[in-house]
Amino acid sequence: MFKRKLTALDYHNPGGFDCTDETQYRNCIVWLEDQKIRHYKIEERGNLRNIPSSDWPKAFHQYLQDLNCPFGGEQQPEAVDWLLGLAVRYEYGDNVDKYKNCKPLAAPTNSDKAVDPLLNLDGDSPDFKAGVTALANILKIQRHDDYLVMLKAIRILIQERLSPEAITKASNNREGIPVALEKHVLGFDTGDAVLNEAAQILRLLHIEELRELQTKINEAIVAVQAIIADPKTDHRLGKVGR
């Protein structure tokens, strides 16, 4: 995950970068600010450049806040990945003409399409775990001990909620009709007005789901009737007597 972005940014050692090494981590942050992001003025970068200082985490936390980073200083993999993404964006903005002329990658061949990219994933890789965790945090998905399970949850959420088809379907949904709850009898009393109102809402939602289910059942019945209502007889298969 880090290697590709570091390579794109011309980092001196993209393949050897170890996010868990505190010295490497701090040096990389300083390099990103000095060379790519440049959010602070040069004279304001003193605390961030003071890598051996015990106050460096505090300076880094302030730096992330100033950049409106969604991650804190204690979330090192997520924070550095976010900073790398920001740096790539700035790098592109500074060299639009250069990257506009880049040739697109060649279309994959049939043999390439047959290879499942998930088969090449290393579930124990720190980069893989950091990337999955970062995505889970962004999408507000609960963490799980098995990172592959988290990845599957991310895939399902994206397919069901963030795919072009899902977005189009959501935008076409009809608006709900206001309902006066006091006109609907609950049939029991919980002893709490708020709970009674919540129960009424749940009952109305359940009724709506039942109506949708009944509609689908009716559609299925009609489809089956269309098939069996006018059967075609093959007289060659008929037999009379023994």
Side-chain angles (χ1 to χ4, degrees):
M1 178 181 66
F2 300 138
K3 183 179 179 180
R4 292 181 62 187
K5 293 178 181 178
L6 289 170
T7 302
L9 295 169
D10 294 325
Y11 189 66
H12 64 279
N13 185 23
F17 175 68
D18 182 4
C19 180
T20 61
D21 186 306
E22 191 67 25
T23 301
Q24 287 192 42
Y25 180 78
R26 295 185 181 187
N27 276 307
C28 180
I29 299 300
V30 174
W31 181 84
L32 287 172
E33 169 58 21
D34 283 342
Q35 302 297 325
K36 304 297 178 180
I37 299 176
R38 299 187 291 274
H39 181 73
Y40 288 160
K41 296 179 181 179
I42 295 178
E43 60 271 17
E44 296 175 344
R45 301 175 189 169
N47 292 334
L48 200 62
R49 286 176 171 175
N50 191 8
I51 293 174
S53 172
S54 58
D55 291 331
W56 190 90
K58 182 179 179 180
F60 180 51
H61 181 74
Q62 183 61 48
Y63 177 64
L64 294 176
Q65 285 187 332
D66 293 340
L67 289 173
N68 294 321
C69 176
F71 304 107
E74 67 281 356
Q75 298 171 288
Q76 291 191 353
E78 295 89 341
V80 73
D81 182 62
W82 187 89
L83 290 173
L84 287 171
L86 180 65
V88 169
R89 193 169 72 213
Y90 286 166
E91 178 73 10
Y92 175 80
D94 292 341
N95 302 276
V96 174
D97 294 334
K98 171 184 174 182
Y99 294 112
K100 268 177 32 176
N101 297 326
C102 290
K103 295 181 180 180
L105 295 175
T109 62
N110 291 333
S111 59
D112 293 333
K113 292 180 180 179
V115 178
D116 186 354
L118 295 179
L119 296 177
N120 298 323
L121 288 177
D122 181 5
D124 296 325
S125 167
D127 288 349
F128 171 77
K129 293 180 179 180
V132 172
T133 302
L135 282 173
N137 289 337
I138 293 172
L139 298 174
K140 307 299 182 184
I141 293 176
Q142 185 175 356
R143 295 196 180 190
H144 192 278
D145 293 336
D146 190 335
Y147 286 85
L148 290 175
V149 172
M150 287 175 59
L151 184 60
K152 290 179 180 178
I154 291 170
R155 175 182 60 81
I156 293 172
L157 175 63
I158 292 175
Q159 287 179 338
E160 294 185 353
R161 300 290 181 85
L162 302 178
S163 65
E165 296 80 6
I167 294 174
T168 302
K169 182 178 179 181
S171 62
N172 293 334
N173 283 346
R174 56 189 174 88
E175 294 185 0
I177 301 174
V179 176
L181 293 179
E182 61 274 6
K183 294 183 179 180
H184 296 269
V185 179
L186 180 58
F188 60 88
D189 186 9
T190 65
D192 187 295
V194 175
L195 288 179
N196 285 344
E197 186 173 309
Q200 285 178 301
I201 294 172
L202 289 175
R203 170 168 286 186
L204 291 173
L205 290 173
H206 180 58
I207 293 174
E208 179 65 21
E209 290 178 350
L210 290 177
R211 287 175 177 171
E212 292 180 1
L213 178 60
Q214 184 62 54
T215 300
K216 293 178 180 179
I217 292 173
N218 293 340
E219 291 174 352
I221 293 174
V222 171
V224 172
Q225 287 177 340
I227 297 173
I228 66 175
D230 186 21
K232 300 184 183 300
T233 303
D234 189 345
H235 297 284
R236 292 172 299 174
L237 300 178
K239 291 183 180 181
V240 179
R242 294 185 179 179

